[in-house]
Every structure is written in structure tokens, then in C-alpha cells.
Amino acid sequence: MPKKRLLVVVDMQNDFIDGALGTEEAREIVPKVKARIELAVGEGETVVYTRDTHEENYLNTQEGKNLPIPHCIRGTRGREIADGLYRDGSPIFDKNAFGSPALAEYAEQNAFDSVELIGVCTDICVISNALLLKAFCPEAEISVRAGCCAGVTPESHAAALSAMKACQIRVLA
């Protein structure tokens, strides 16, 4: 029986690429992320997306007080998944926190054998979702593809990869 594989595309939204919190590293991974999504679709993997989602009152939230840069506000271009990355009909998990318990529950309920994460930010939302997936799906192989991820800084990206590796999350080239 073929293995059930899940590809999670984390927060590949305009605000994290070329918007309010965009970085050169995030812009650089877009073609790699697109190629990985296309490969996954071609190989019959399930592809899902997370989408950071905040409301107009963002600056009054705990996150907004620590990171006072409005981003991914519902109804704005910044919240949209970057052009060319979304596959019609794929599930999207909107989240108002770094990790998505709904995504972890989805992976658990669908009994995926492996889950791979790509996207941004390695050191915030990628690691948060990877750890949730590891907790909800302890027997699934959880991995992160380093070349299809970008952190807030190259240093924090590397630190997050090391932390995930220590938690038995496989780091792929």
C-alpha cells in the first residue's frame, strides 16, 4: 500500500515575502516552494496551506504588542497566498497563532505516514507547526525541507533547524 504523504505549505503569504515582514530570503525560496508543490501534486501527495490571519485589532493582541507591525490582516493583499503557489481546492488552515491545532488534528485524523513542511518563518511558524504535528502524529515521519524555508534571519533559520532536529524532526536538504 502506498504511503500517505502530506505537504504543508506554511504562511507563504505576500506580507512575509514582499510585504510588511518580507525578506530577501523569503523571496529567494518562492521558486523552490513552487517547484516542491508541483512535484508533490504530480506524485499524488496531499497539499495543504496555513495562512497567518489577524484582525484590525492586531496591535492590541499579545503578538501585536511583541511585534508591532500589522501584517496578514484579513481582507488585505498581504494575507493572500503568493501568486502561483495555491492549488485550487487544497485545504487552507487559517490561524491566529504561530501553530495550527486544526492542521495537527487534520494530519492525525487522516493518518499520514509522512508530513513535510516548507515555508516561512522557519523560526516561528514552521517550527511551531512541526512540533504540533510531532505531538499529534508521533509515529508519522515529520520533516522540514531546509531549502524551501526561510527564517526571520539566516541565523534564526539555522537555530530552528537545529532545534527541530533535536526533536526528531528530519531536516531535508
Side-chain angles (χ1 to χ4, degrees):
M1 174 187 269
K3 292 192 175 217
K4 288 179 69 176
R5 296 174 11 183
L6 176 64
L7 178 66
V8 180
V9 182
V10 178
D11 296 0
M12 287 300 293
Q13 297 163 262
N14 293 319
D15 268 348
F16 293 123
I17 296 168
D18 61 8
L21 295 172
T23 65
E24 184 59 36
E25 292 82 8
R27 287 186 288 279
E28 287 175 6
I29 68 164
V30 171
K32 296 174 193 172
V33 167
K34 184 175 183 180
R36 180 64 188 95
I37 293 166
E38 290 171 359
L39 180 65
V41 169
E43 292 185 350
E45 294 178 41
T46 300
V47 179
V48 300
Y49 298 79
T50 67
R51 185 169 53 191
D52 199 38
T53 302
H54 301 291
E55 305 301 331
E56 290 293 331
N57 71 338
Y58 171 77
L59 293 175
N60 296 324
T61 67
Q62 185 65 32
E63 181 181 330
K65 291 172 185 171
N66 286 292
L67 177 64
I69 301 170
H71 64 280
C72 300
I73 305 297
R74 189 181 302 277
T76 65
R77 176 191 176 278
R79 180 174 168 260
E80 294 172 14
I81 294 169
D83 287 344
L85 298 182
Y86 180 69
R87 302 305 253 186
D88 287 340
S90 294
I92 298 175
F93 295 89
D94 287 336
K95 57 187 186 60
N96 65 354
F98 299 148
S100 172
L103 166 65
E105 289 169 357
Y106 171 86
E108 178 185 42
Q109 291 166 358
N110 285 282
F112 289 98
D113 297 298
S114 68
V115 181
E116 179 182 323
L117 295 96
I118 60 176
V120 296
C121 294
T122 318
D123 45 333
I124 301 174
C125 294
V126 174
I127 192 172
S128 295
N129 282 292
L131 292 170
L132 274 171
L133 287 159
K134 189 70 175 167
F136 276 71
C137 309
E139 293 305 314
E141 180 182 287
I142 310 298
S143 63
V144 60
R145 188 164 300 275
C148 289
C149 291
V152 174
T153 68
E155 296 79 15
S156 61
H157 168 76
L161 294 174
S162 292
M164 286 186 274
K165 192 173 184 181
C167 292
Q168 300 179 1
I169 294 164
R170 191 167 166 220
V171 177
L172 307 170

